Amino acid sequence: MEGGAVANPRTVEEVFKDFKGRRAGMLKALSGDVEEFYRQCDPEKENLCLYGLPDETWEVNLPAEEVPPELPEPALGINFARDGMLRKDWLSLVAVHSDAWLYAVAFYHGARLDKSERKRLFGMMNELPTVFDTVTGRKPVKEKSSVNNSGSKSKTSVNEGGVKSSKAPPKEEDEAFDDEDEEHGDTQCGTCGGNYTSDEFWIGCDVCEKWFHGKCVKITPARAEHIKKYKCPSCSNNKRARG
């Protein structure tokens, strides 16, 4: 199934090289070779999978017969959805599953890496655009600086819709994760007054720059993805009052 691949990679560099090769193969299938890929995904055939190979090639094939398989398996039966969706939507769906498989294979190979090596491996992979981003033409997420209501300046991650995420970004060192709650404990929800915790979804108002529990302002992470500029209830009411 692996097209004559050599022995399993072990070091960070070897795993990353394997990841890049498989990623390049999948990108060829979903872009440059898309007509041939589309043709091979015949809905009349059995369950088919898209495999990216370490030598930057790809193949559409049946899943491995052995259980459990030698490597994590990609999404099964991608051919069955081909004619039931718009072509671009189907390719996007395959791209999402391709990204998930690439990361699964990389961390399967990297199971023996230590904490710092896994972090370095993820950083190297994360520097490359995802298959989904490349196939759909989506621009990478940007970051911006903002001031929270405690007066300290911190970098706030921004999703595609421009909404501030729930969690403060990590520092350079691993130990930053251990004292994140303590460091940001003076940040309070503008609705309930509760202190910041890293395990809850938070959203920041782009007008008053106060932070809120998503549940307090009835905003879910999924809904936040579609908000370009978030205004808290107070700022929204003030605007209506002035009008």
Side-chain angles (χ1 to χ4, degrees):
M1 194 67 68
E2 293 303 317
V6 295
N8 289 339
R10 285 288 180 259
T11 67
V12 171
E13 288 71 23
E14 289 172 345
V15 175
F16 181 59
K17 182 178 179 180
D18 183 88
F19 172 84
K20 283 202 306 179
R22 295 177 187 276
R23 173 181 173 276
M26 288 184 141
L27 285 174
K28 286 180 182 177
L30 296 171
S31 54
D33 299 341
V34 67
E35 295 298 333
E36 177 61 18
F37 169 65
Y38 191 86
R39 185 190 67 78
Q40 289 190 28
C41 291
D42 185 350
E44 298 300 320
K45 295 182 179 180
E46 296 183 48
N47 292 304
L48 295 175
C49 303
L50 171 62
Y51 293 88
L53 305 180
D55 62 357
E56 301 187 5
T57 60
W58 59 274
E59 68 175 9
V60 171
N61 212 328
L62 296 173
E65 294 183 1
E66 63 268 22
V67 178
E70 181 181 354
L71 289 176
E73 285 291 308
L76 179 68
I78 57 173
N79 51 315
F80 294 150
R82 192 195 74 175
D83 293 346
M85 305 173 64
L86 292 175
R87 179 162 169 163
K88 66 180 182 63
D89 292 337
W90 177 71
L91 291 173
S92 296
L93 178 64
V94 176
V96 169
H97 284 293
S98 298
D99 282 318
W101 179 71
L102 286 170
Y103 275 81
V105 171
F107 280 94
Y108 173 86
H109 285 315
R112 294 176 177 81
L113 299 176
D114 62 27
K115 181 178 180 180
S116 62
E117 289 173 327
R118 292 195 303 271
K119 181 179 179 181
R120 184 158 66 92
L121 173 62
F122 176 77
M124 293 166 69
M125 295 190 300
N126 201 40
E127 285 298 311
L128 298 174
T130 64
V131 175
F132 176 77
D133 284 347
T134 304
V135 169
T136 62
R138 191 177 75 157
K139 295 181 180 180
V141 174
K142 296 181 180 180
E143 292 187 344
K144 69 179 182 180
S145 294
S146 89
V147 179
N148 62 29
N149 64 342
S150 66
S152 61
K153 193 170 185 180
S154 63
K155 227 173 191 181
T156 303
S157 61
V158 181
N159 63 24
E160 188 181 5
V163 178
K164 289 167 247 185
S165 74
S166 58
K167 300 176 183 177
K171 295 179 180 179
E172 295 296 326
E173 303 299 327
D174 292 340
E175 60 266 18
F177 294 99
D178 298 330
D179 62 356
E180 183 180 356
D181 284 353
E182 180 179 348
E183 179 183 351
H184 297 276
D186 55 352
T187 299
Q188 296 179 330
C189 174
T191 297
C192 72
N195 290 332
Y196 172 86
T197 56
S198 61
D199 59 351
E200 295 181 288
F201 174 73
W202 286 64
I203 187 168
C205 176
D206 288 300
V207 178
C208 66
E209 296 189 337
K210 290 183 179 179
W211 288 82
F212 302 85
H213 289 111
K215 61 185 179 181
C216 288
V217 291
K218 298 182 179 179
I219 298 292
T220 63
R223 183 180 175 189
E225 290 285 344
H226 303 285
I227 300 176
K228 294 182 179 180
K229 184 176 181 181
Y230 175 68
K231 293 182 181 180
C232 68
S234 295
C235 291
S236 298
N237 291 336
N238 289 339
K239 182 177 180 180
R240 284 195 290 267
R242 287 196 300 269

Short mmCIF file of all heavy atoms in Angstrom, two decimals, residues 153-203:
data_model
loop_
_atom_site.label_atom_id
_atom_site.label_comp_id
_atom_site.label_asym_id
_atom_site.label_seq_id
_atom_site.Cartn_x
_atom_site.Cartn_y
_atom_site.Cartn_z
N LYS A 153 -0.81 43.88 27.64
CA LYS A 153 -0.89 43.63 26.21
C LYS A 153 -0.50 42.19 25.93
O LYS A 153 0.52 41.71 26.40
CB LYS A 153 0.07 44.57 25.46
CG LYS A 153 -0.17 44.60 23.96
CD LYS A 153 0.63 45.70 23.31
CE LYS A 153 0.30 45.82 21.84
NZ LYS A 153 1.06 46.87 21.18
N SER A 154 -1.33 41.50 25.20
CA SER A 154 -1.03 40.11 24.87
C SER A 154 -1.44 39.85 23.44
O SER A 154 -2.33 40.49 22.91
CB SER A 154 -1.79 39.16 25.79
OG SER A 154 -3.18 39.32 25.62
N LYS A 155 -0.76 38.88 22.82
CA LYS A 155 -1.09 38.52 21.46
C LYS A 155 -2.33 37.65 21.47
O LYS A 155 -2.41 36.70 22.25
CB LYS A 155 0.07 37.75 20.83
CG LYS A 155 0.41 38.28 19.45
CD LYS A 155 1.65 37.63 18.94
CE LYS A 155 2.15 38.32 17.69
NZ LYS A 155 3.34 37.68 17.16
N THR A 156 -3.27 37.96 20.64
CA THR A 156 -4.53 37.23 20.63
C THR A 156 -4.69 36.57 19.28
O THR A 156 -4.60 37.22 18.25
CB THR A 156 -5.71 38.19 20.86
OG1 THR A 156 -5.50 38.86 22.09
CG2 THR A 156 -7.02 37.42 20.89
N SER A 157 -4.92 35.26 19.28
CA SER A 157 -5.10 34.59 18.01
C SER A 157 -6.45 34.96 17.43
O SER A 157 -7.42 35.16 18.14
CB SER A 157 -5.02 33.07 18.21
OG SER A 157 -6.02 32.63 19.07
N VAL A 158 -6.49 35.04 16.11
CA VAL A 158 -7.70 35.48 15.42
C VAL A 158 -8.06 34.41 14.41
O VAL A 158 -7.22 33.94 13.66
CB VAL A 158 -7.46 36.81 14.68
CG1 VAL A 158 -8.72 37.27 14.00
CG2 VAL A 158 -6.97 37.86 15.65
N ASN A 159 -9.33 34.01 14.43
CA ASN A 159 -9.72 33.01 13.47
C ASN A 159 -10.06 33.69 12.15
O ASN A 159 -9.90 34.89 11.98
CB ASN A 159 -10.90 32.17 13.99
CG ASN A 159 -12.14 33.01 14.21
OD1 ASN A 159 -12.31 34.07 13.61
ND2 ASN A 159 -13.03 32.54 15.08
N GLU A 160 -10.53 32.89 11.20
CA GLU A 160 -10.77 33.42 9.86
C GLU A 160 -11.77 34.57 9.87
O GLU A 160 -11.71 35.47 9.05
CB GLU A 160 -11.28 32.28 8.97
CG GLU A 160 -11.39 32.66 7.50
CD GLU A 160 -11.91 31.51 6.66
OE1 GLU A 160 -12.28 30.48 7.23
OE2 GLU A 160 -11.94 31.67 5.44
N GLY A 161 -12.70 34.55 10.83
CA GLY A 161 -13.70 35.61 10.89
C GLY A 161 -13.26 36.82 11.65
O GLY A 161 -14.01 37.78 11.79
N GLY A 162 -12.05 36.82 12.20
CA GLY A 162 -11.56 37.98 12.91
C GLY A 162 -11.95 37.99 14.38
O GLY A 162 -11.76 38.98 15.06
N VAL A 163 -12.49 36.89 14.91
CA VAL A 163 -12.92 36.85 16.29
C VAL A 163 -11.81 36.31 17.16
O VAL A 163 -11.16 35.34 16.82
CB VAL A 163 -14.17 35.94 16.44
CG1 VAL A 163 -14.60 35.86 17.89
CG2 VAL A 163 -15.29 36.49 15.59
N LYS A 164 -11.60 36.95 18.29
CA LYS A 164 -10.54 36.52 19.19
C LYS A 164 -10.86 35.17 19.79
O LYS A 164 -11.99 34.88 20.12
CB LYS A 164 -10.36 37.56 20.30
CG LYS A 164 -9.74 38.84 19.80
CD LYS A 164 -9.85 39.94 20.82
CE LYS A 164 -10.77 41.01 20.32
NZ LYS A 164 -10.84 42.15 21.19
N SER A 165 -9.87 34.33 19.94
CA SER A 165 -10.11 32.98 20.40
C SER A 165 -10.22 32.95 21.91
O SER A 165 -9.95 33.92 22.60
CB SER A 165 -8.98 32.05 19.96
OG SER A 165 -7.83 32.29 20.73
N SER A 166 -10.56 31.77 22.41
CA SER A 166 -10.85 31.63 23.83
C SER A 166 -9.61 31.59 24.68
O SER A 166 -9.67 31.84 25.87
CB SER A 166 -11.64 30.35 24.06
OG SER A 166 -10.90 29.24 23.59
N LYS A 167 -8.46 31.24 24.13
CA LYS A 167 -7.31 30.97 24.96
C LYS A 167 -6.15 31.87 24.62
O LYS A 167 -5.87 32.13 23.46
CB LYS A 167 -6.91 29.51 24.81
CG LYS A 167 -8.04 28.58 25.23
CD LYS A 167 -7.70 27.14 24.99
CE LYS A 167 -8.87 26.24 25.34
NZ LYS A 167 -8.60 24.84 25.06
N ALA A 168 -5.45 32.33 25.66
CA ALA A 168 -4.26 33.13 25.43
C ALA A 168 -3.21 32.27 24.76
O ALA A 168 -3.11 31.08 25.03
CB ALA A 168 -3.71 33.64 26.77
N PRO A 169 -2.41 32.82 23.84
CA PRO A 169 -1.44 32.02 23.10
C PRO A 169 -0.31 31.54 23.99
O PRO A 169 0.02 32.18 24.98
CB PRO A 169 -0.92 33.00 22.04
CG PRO A 169 -1.11 34.34 22.65
CD PRO A 169 -2.36 34.24 23.48
N PRO A 170 0.30 30.41 23.64
CA PRO A 170 1.37 29.88 24.47
C PRO A 170 2.63 30.70 24.34
O PRO A 170 2.87 31.37 23.35
CB PRO A 170 1.60 28.48 23.89
CG PRO A 170 1.13 28.60 22.48
CD PRO A 170 -0.02 29.56 22.51
N LYS A 171 3.45 30.66 25.40
CA LYS A 171 4.75 31.30 25.35
C LYS A 171 5.71 30.41 24.58
O LYS A 171 5.38 29.33 24.11
CB LYS A 171 5.27 31.53 26.77
CG LYS A 171 4.43 32.51 27.58
CD LYS A 171 5.01 32.63 28.98
CE LYS A 171 4.19 33.61 29.81
NZ LYS A 171 4.72 33.73 31.17
N GLU A 172 6.97 30.85 24.51
CA GLU A 172 7.95 30.10 23.78
C GLU A 172 8.29 28.78 24.47
O GLU A 172 8.58 27.80 23.83
CB GLU A 172 9.23 30.93 23.61
CG GLU A 172 9.03 32.17 22.75
CD GLU A 172 8.65 31.80 21.33
OE1 GLU A 172 9.11 30.77 20.84
OE2 GLU A 172 7.86 32.54 20.72
N GLU A 173 8.29 28.75 25.79
CA GLU A 173 8.73 27.58 26.54
C GLU A 173 7.55 26.70 26.92
O GLU A 173 6.43 27.14 27.09
CB GLU A 173 9.48 28.01 27.81
CG GLU A 173 10.67 28.91 27.55
CD GLU A 173 11.73 28.22 26.70
OE1 GLU A 173 11.88 26.99 26.82
OE2 GLU A 173 12.38 28.92 25.92
N ASP A 174 7.84 25.40 27.12
CA ASP A 174 6.80 24.44 27.46
C ASP A 174 6.12 24.77 28.77
O ASP A 174 4.93 24.57 28.94
CB ASP A 174 7.39 23.04 27.55
CG ASP A 174 7.83 22.52 26.20
OD1 ASP A 174 7.34 23.07 25.21
OD2 ASP A 174 8.65 21.59 26.15
N GLU A 175 6.90 25.29 29.75
CA GLU A 175 6.32 25.52 31.06
C GLU A 175 5.28 26.63 31.07
O GLU A 175 4.58 26.82 32.05
CB GLU A 175 7.41 25.86 32.08
CG GLU A 175 8.23 27.10 31.76
CD GLU A 175 9.50 26.74 31.00
OE1 GLU A 175 9.55 25.62 30.45
OE2 GLU A 175 10.42 27.55 30.98
N ALA A 176 5.15 27.36 29.95
CA ALA A 176 4.14 28.41 29.89
C ALA A 176 2.75 27.85 30.09
O ALA A 176 1.87 28.50 30.63
CB ALA A 176 4.20 29.13 28.55
N PHE A 177 2.53 26.60 29.68
CA PHE A 177 1.21 26.01 29.80
C PHE A 177 0.84 25.75 31.25
O PHE A 177 -0.33 25.67 31.60
CB PHE A 177 1.15 24.69 29.01
CG PHE A 177 1.29 24.90 27.53
CD1 PHE A 177 2.52 24.69 26.91
CD2 PHE A 177 0.22 25.30 26.76
CE1 PHE A 177 2.64 24.88 25.56
CE2 PHE A 177 0.35 25.48 25.40
CZ PHE A 177 1.57 25.27 24.80
N ASP A 178 1.84 25.58 32.10
CA ASP A 178 1.56 25.23 33.49
C ASP A 178 1.00 26.39 34.30
O ASP A 178 0.24 26.21 35.23
CB ASP A 178 2.83 24.71 34.17
CG ASP A 178 3.35 23.45 33.49
OD1 ASP A 178 2.50 22.71 32.95
OD2 ASP A 178 4.57 23.21 33.50
N ASP A 179 1.44 27.63 33.96
CA ASP A 179 0.99 28.77 34.77
C ASP A 179 0.11 29.73 33.99
O ASP A 179 -0.05 30.88 34.36
CB ASP A 179 2.20 29.52 35.33
CG ASP A 179 3.09 30.10 34.23
OD1 ASP A 179 2.78 29.84 33.05
OD2 ASP A 179 4.06 30.78 34.56
N GLU A 180 -0.52 29.23 32.92
CA GLU A 180 -1.34 30.10 32.08
C GLU A 180 -2.52 30.66 32.85
O GLU A 180 -2.81 31.86 32.80
CB GLU A 180 -1.85 29.33 30.85
CG GLU A 180 -2.66 30.20 29.91
CD GLU A 180 -3.16 29.41 28.71
OE1 GLU A 180 -2.81 28.23 28.58
OE2 GLU A 180 -3.90 30.00 27.92
N ASP A 181 -3.23 29.79 33.60
CA ASP A 181 -4.39 30.26 34.36
C ASP A 181 -3.98 31.30 35.40
O ASP A 181 -4.68 32.30 35.60
CB ASP A 181 -5.05 29.07 35.06
CG ASP A 181 -5.85 28.22 34.09
OD1 ASP A 181 -5.98 28.64 32.93
OD2 ASP A 181 -6.32 27.15 34.50
N GLU A 182 -2.82 31.07 36.06
CA GLU A 182 -2.38 32.00 37.09
C GLU A 182 -2.02 33.36 36.49
O GLU A 182 -2.37 34.41 37.01
CB GLU A 182 -1.18 31.41 37.82
CG GLU A 182 -0.63 32.30 38.93
CD GLU A 182 0.54 31.66 39.64
OE1 GLU A 182 0.78 30.45 39.42
OE2 GLU A 182 1.21 32.37 40.40
N GLU A 183 -1.35 33.33 35.35
CA GLU A 183 -0.90 34.58 34.73
C GLU A 183 -2.07 35.43 34.25
O GLU A 183 -2.05 36.65 34.34
CB GLU A 183 0.02 34.27 33.55
CG GLU A 183 0.51 35.50 32.81
CD GLU A 183 1.37 35.13 31.61
OE1 GLU A 183 1.70 33.96 31.45
OE2 GLU A 183 1.68 36.05 30.83
N HIS A 184 -3.11 34.79 33.73
CA HIS A 184 -4.25 35.52 33.18
C HIS A 184 -5.44 35.52 34.13
O HIS A 184 -6.56 35.81 33.73
CB HIS A 184 -4.65 34.90 31.84
CG HIS A 184 -3.58 35.01 30.80
ND1 HIS A 184 -3.39 36.13 30.03
CD2 HIS A 184 -2.62 34.13 30.44
CE1 HIS A 184 -2.37 35.94 29.22
NE2 HIS A 184 -1.89 34.73 29.45
N GLY A 185 -5.20 35.18 35.40
CA GLY A 185 -6.29 35.08 36.35
C GLY A 185 -6.97 36.40 36.63
O GLY A 185 -8.09 36.43 37.13
N ASP A 186 -6.31 37.54 36.33
CA ASP A 186 -6.93 38.84 36.60
C ASP A 186 -7.84 39.28 35.47
O ASP A 186 -8.47 40.32 35.54
CB ASP A 186 -5.85 39.90 36.87
CG ASP A 186 -4.84 39.99 35.74
OD1 ASP A 186 -4.89 39.12 34.84
OD2 ASP A 186 -4.01 40.92 35.75
N THR A 187 -7.91 38.50 34.39
CA THR A 187 -8.85 38.79 33.32
C THR A 187 -10.20 38.22 33.70
O THR A 187 -10.33 37.03 33.98
CB THR A 187 -8.38 38.17 32.00
OG1 THR A 187 -7.12 38.73 31.64
CG2 THR A 187 -9.39 38.44 30.88
N GLN A 188 -11.22 39.07 33.73
CA GLN A 188 -12.53 38.63 34.18
C GLN A 188 -13.57 38.78 33.08
O GLN A 188 -13.48 39.65 32.22
CB GLN A 188 -12.96 39.46 35.39
CG GLN A 188 -12.06 39.27 36.61
CD GLN A 188 -12.51 40.11 37.79
OE1 GLN A 188 -13.07 41.19 37.60
NE2 GLN A 188 -12.28 39.63 39.00
N CYS A 189 -14.56 37.91 33.14
CA CYS A 189 -15.67 37.96 32.19
C CYS A 189 -16.47 39.23 32.42
O CYS A 189 -16.83 39.56 33.55
CB CYS A 189 -16.55 36.73 32.37
SG CYS A 189 -18.06 36.76 31.37
N GLY A 190 -16.75 39.97 31.33
CA GLY A 190 -17.49 41.21 31.44
C GLY A 190 -18.95 41.02 31.82
O GLY A 190 -19.64 41.98 32.14
N THR A 191 -19.43 39.79 31.81
CA THR A 191 -20.82 39.52 32.18
C THR A 191 -20.95 38.97 33.58
O THR A 191 -21.63 39.53 34.43
CB THR A 191 -21.46 38.53 31.18
OG1 THR A 191 -21.48 39.13 29.88
CG2 THR A 191 -22.90 38.20 31.59
N CYS A 192 -20.25 37.86 33.86
CA CYS A 192 -20.42 37.20 35.16
C CYS A 192 -19.32 37.53 36.16
O CYS A 192 -19.44 37.24 37.33
CB CYS A 192 -20.50 35.68 34.98
SG CYS A 192 -18.93 34.91 34.53
N GLY A 193 -18.22 38.13 35.66
CA GLY A 193 -17.12 38.48 36.54
C GLY A 193 -16.19 37.34 36.88
O GLY A 193 -15.26 37.49 37.67
N GLY A 194 -16.42 36.18 36.27
CA GLY A 194 -15.57 35.02 36.53
C GLY A 194 -14.17 35.21 35.96
O GLY A 194 -13.98 35.91 34.96
N ASN A 195 -13.18 34.61 36.62
CA ASN A 195 -11.79 34.73 36.19
C ASN A 195 -11.50 33.85 34.98
O ASN A 195 -12.18 32.86 34.74
CB ASN A 195 -10.84 34.36 37.33
CG ASN A 195 -10.85 35.40 38.43
OD1 ASN A 195 -11.10 36.57 38.19
ND2 ASN A 195 -10.59 34.97 39.66
N TYR A 196 -10.46 34.23 34.27
CA TYR A 196 -10.04 33.50 33.07
C TYR A 196 -9.59 32.09 33.42
O TYR A 196 -8.88 31.87 34.39
CB TYR A 196 -8.88 34.23 32.39
CG TYR A 196 -8.27 33.45 31.25
CD1 TYR A 196 -8.81 33.54 29.98
CD2 TYR A 196 -7.17 32.62 31.46
CE1 TYR A 196 -8.26 32.82 28.92
CE2 TYR A 196 -6.62 31.89 30.42
CZ TYR A 196 -7.16 32.00 29.15
OH TYR A 196 -6.62 31.28 28.12
N THR A 197 -10.02 31.11 32.63
CA THR A 197 -9.50 29.75 32.70
C THR A 197 -9.26 29.28 31.27
O THR A 197 -10.02 29.63 30.36
CB THR A 197 -10.48 28.79 33.40
OG1 THR A 197 -11.74 28.83 32.73
CG2 THR A 197 -10.67 29.16 34.86
N SER A 198 -8.21 28.50 31.09
CA SER A 198 -7.81 28.12 29.73
C SER A 198 -8.66 27.02 29.13
O SER A 198 -8.53 26.71 27.95
CB SER A 198 -6.35 27.67 29.74
OG SER A 198 -6.19 26.55 30.59
N ASP A 199 -9.54 26.40 29.93
CA ASP A 199 -10.33 25.29 29.41
C ASP A 199 -11.74 25.70 28.99
O ASP A 199 -12.59 24.84 28.77
CB ASP A 199 -10.40 24.17 30.45
CG ASP A 199 -11.03 24.63 31.76
OD1 ASP A 199 -11.23 25.84 31.92
OD2 ASP A 199 -11.31 23.76 32.62
N GLU A 200 -11.99 27.00 28.88
CA GLU A 200 -13.31 27.47 28.46
C GLU A 200 -13.17 28.37 27.24
O GLU A 200 -12.14 29.01 27.02
CB GLU A 200 -14.00 28.27 29.58
CG GLU A 200 -14.32 27.44 30.81
CD GLU A 200 -15.04 28.28 31.87
OE1 GLU A 200 -14.38 29.13 32.48
OE2 GLU A 200 -16.24 28.07 32.07
N PHE A 201 -14.24 28.42 26.44
CA PHE A 201 -14.25 29.29 25.27
C PHE A 201 -14.53 30.73 25.68
O PHE A 201 -15.51 31.01 26.37
CB PHE A 201 -15.32 28.83 24.27
CG PHE A 201 -15.48 29.76 23.09
CD1 PHE A 201 -14.52 29.82 22.11
CD2 PHE A 201 -16.58 30.60 22.99
CE1 PHE A 201 -14.65 30.68 21.03
CE2 PHE A 201 -16.72 31.47 21.93
CZ PHE A 201 -15.74 31.50 20.95
N TRP A 202 -13.65 31.64 25.30
CA TRP A 202 -13.80 33.07 25.57
C TRP A 202 -13.83 33.82 24.25
O TRP A 202 -13.26 33.39 23.26
CB TRP A 202 -12.63 33.59 26.41
CG TRP A 202 -12.68 33.18 27.85
CD1 TRP A 202 -12.59 31.92 28.35
CD2 TRP A 202 -12.81 34.05 28.98
NE1 TRP A 202 -12.66 31.93 29.71
CE2 TRP A 202 -12.80 33.23 30.13
CE3 TRP A 202 -12.93 35.42 29.14
CZ2 TRP A 202 -12.90 33.75 31.42
CZ3 TRP A 202 -13.04 35.95 30.42
CH2 TRP A 202 -13.04 35.11 31.55
N ILE A 203 -14.49 34.98 24.25
CA ILE A 203 -14.52 35.84 23.07
C ILE A 203 -14.34 37.29 23.50
O ILE A 203 -14.83 37.70 24.55
CB ILE A 203 -15.85 35.66 22.28
CG1 ILE A 203 -15.79 36.43 20.95
CG2 ILE A 203 -17.05 36.08 23.12
CD1 ILE A 203 -16.93 36.06 20.02
#
